[in-house]
Every structure is written in structure tokens, then in C-alpha cells.
Amino acid sequence: MSIAGGAVVLFSGGQDSTTCLGWALERYDRVETIGFDYGQRHRIEMECRLDVLDSIRARFSRWAAKLGEDVVVPVEAIGTLSNTALTRDVEMKMGADGLPNTFVPGRNLIFLSFAAAYAYRRELKHIVTGVCETDYSGYPDCRDDTIKAMQVALNLGLERRFVLETPLMWIDKAQTFVMARELGGEDFLTLVIEETHSCYAGDRTVKFDWGWGCGACPACKLRAEGWHRFVAEGL
Ligand code: ZN
């Protein structure tokens, strides 16, 4: 039984947002996707996200019927305004404030605002994002409180009753692999491993058992650790 009202998924082509897309396709009668081009150094994710959408349409017939439009929003201003390791050629490291310099200030707040504007036009009720407080690299805009506050702000500011959904908020990367398998079986888990992109360095030259990446950046480390726990604990 699908939930009416439809959903837009913030979809980057990574492990988390791809799992969220499967989660939404299991639940809602209509699912659309939105991506953001903000001058990220790992621009290869913009190609991967299209490959993931193509694969879902080709290999998951019960989901393909619900999967609707995809839109990419240019938000290069984020890269212009911020000085982070995701948008500039600087080394990834921890800042004095305890935040890694891969944090892009305002990124998720801006993404959610654009997603709500899109949902407003497309008359979609649910806005699904893969933010996570469990292993969230300390990004304050991934916190549950931030998302709840955004839901209030967006509903007041747009005069709607959007529901911001965060299916990964309280689970870790190992459990995200479990969720992918529960949603779409081994075939979807394989899709997540082989076709999604997480690596901040944009590296897809080396294939690990958890997917493609450089194996050294924070995003690769997080994904690798999650996979190894998934395997070691027989999840
Ligand atoms: Zn990497």
C-alpha cells in the first residue's frame, strides 16, 4: 500500500541517498528526485546519479513505475561563498572548531529550501533526505533538531504541510547497507555497492569490496568501515 502525496528525494548518487530513494519507492505512490550542482570536486557523482536512476528503471520494475522526474539545480554560489575542501583544492582536515573542512556551511539548509520549492510546484508532500546523526562527521546541518527546525521554517514560509523524512537519521553505515538489502534484496545491495559514489576525491579507478573510491578520504573511510562491520557482524 503506497502512501499518497508523493515524495521528492534529495538524491546525490551516493550510498545514503540511493538507499533513501529505495526507501521512498517502497512507500510512496510517486517519487521524484532532485540533485544539486554546487561545484563539488567529486562532480563524478552527477554522472553516477544518472546511472543509478537508469539501473533502477531497468532492474526494479515495481519501483520504475513510481519513479518520476529528476531535476538538477545549479547552486554554484555555495562554492563561491564557502572555502571548503569539497569545493576548493585544499587538504581535507579538522578545523579548530572541531568541524572537518569538508563541511559546506549552509549546504543542507539550501538544498532543503530548493527541494521544498520544487515540492511546492510539483505538489509533493514528503521531502526525503539521507542526513544522519549517527556517523555524520559532526556536520551540524545533519542533526535531527536542524531538520525539525527546517520543517517548521519551510511550512511557515511556504504555507504547506511538508513532512521532512530522514530514514537514516539514527542508523550507521553498516545498518544502511542492511536497509538497502531489506528494501531491494541482493540486487539493490549490489547496485548500491557498484554504482553509487561517496568518495570526496571523485576517484572511481579502484574497486574495493564496498565500492569505488580512493579508500583514504573521510567518505571512503566511513563507507569502508560500515561495510566491514556489515560483513564481520554478519548483518
Ligand atoms: Zn575517497
Side-chain angles (χ1 to χ4, degrees):
M1 189 57 188
S2 291
I3 298 170
V8 58
V9 178
L10 282 77
F11 180 60
S12 70
Q15 177 192 351
D16 292 346
S17 65
T18 299
T19 305
C20 284
L21 179 55
W23 182 91
L25 286 164
E26 276 292 286
R27 263 163 193 75
Y28 303 112
D29 57 354
R30 182 165 58 111
V31 177
E32 303 189 11
T33 46
I34 187 168
F36 299 95
D37 187 347
Y38 58 98
Q40 58 269 56
R41 288 167 64 197
H42 52 303
R43 303 184 57 75
I44 197 160
E45 72 177 15
M46 302 307 291
E47 296 167 31
C48 291
R49 66 189 296 287
L50 296 178
D51 293 340
V52 170
L53 290 174
D54 285 346
S55 289
I56 288 176
R57 287 197 174 92
R59 286 157 51 188
F60 298 86
S61 53
R62 75 175 191 277
W63 288 351
K66 303 173 170 188
L67 185 55
E69 283 191 30
D70 174 55
V71 64
V72 171
V73 183
V75 280
E76 285 88 353
I78 293 178
T80 307
L81 293 171
S82 62
N83 181 25
T84 87
L86 288 197
T87 53
R88 303 270 167 100
D89 187 13
V90 295
E91 186 193 350
M92 295 175 198
K93 60 181 186 207
M94 290 300 288
D97 55 2
L99 270 174
N101 68 346
T102 51
F103 174 59
V104 183
R107 181 176 56 165
N108 281 330
L109 306 181
I110 291 164
F111 289 179
L112 286 167
S113 297
F114 278 112
Y118 180 77
Y120 185 98
R121 173 166 69 86
R122 301 289 299 164
E123 297 187 341
L124 300 164
K125 182 176 178 65
H126 305 269
I127 299 170
V128 183
T129 171
V131 294
C132 167
E133 194 167 307
T134 310
D135 35 36
Y136 72 139
S137 307
Y139 297 163
D141 57 351
C142 292
R143 287 183 295 204
D144 192 47
D145 284 352
T146 305
I147 301 301
K148 286 191 164 73
M150 272 307 279
Q151 177 171 302
V152 173
L154 292 170
N155 284 332
L156 286 172
L158 281 77
E159 194 62 33
R160 281 288 187 276
R161 293 296 293 170
F162 296 122
V163 180
L164 270 56
E165 299 280 7
T166 56
L168 311 183
M169 182 59 78
W170 305 111
I171 66 174
D172 63 20
K173 278 278 188 287
Q175 291 165 318
T176 304
F177 282 118
V178 174
M179 182 185 279
R181 191 179 54 200
E182 286 174 353
L183 288 164
E186 292 293 336
D187 196 21
F188 189 51
L189 181 62
T190 301
L191 184 157
V192 165
I193 293 164
E194 295 187 349
E195 298 189 32
T196 69
H197 183 86
S198 301
C199 176
Y200 283 158
D203 190 339
R204 289 186 76 75
T205 54
V206 180
K207 170 96 189 297
F208 298 86
D209 48 2
W210 44 264
W212 299 89
C214 72
C217 77
C220 280
K221 283 183 178 165
L222 202 58
R223 180 162 162 161
E225 283 168 16
W227 174 258
H228 291 135
R229 209 162 54 251
F230 171 77
V231 172
E233 296 176 13
L235 297 175

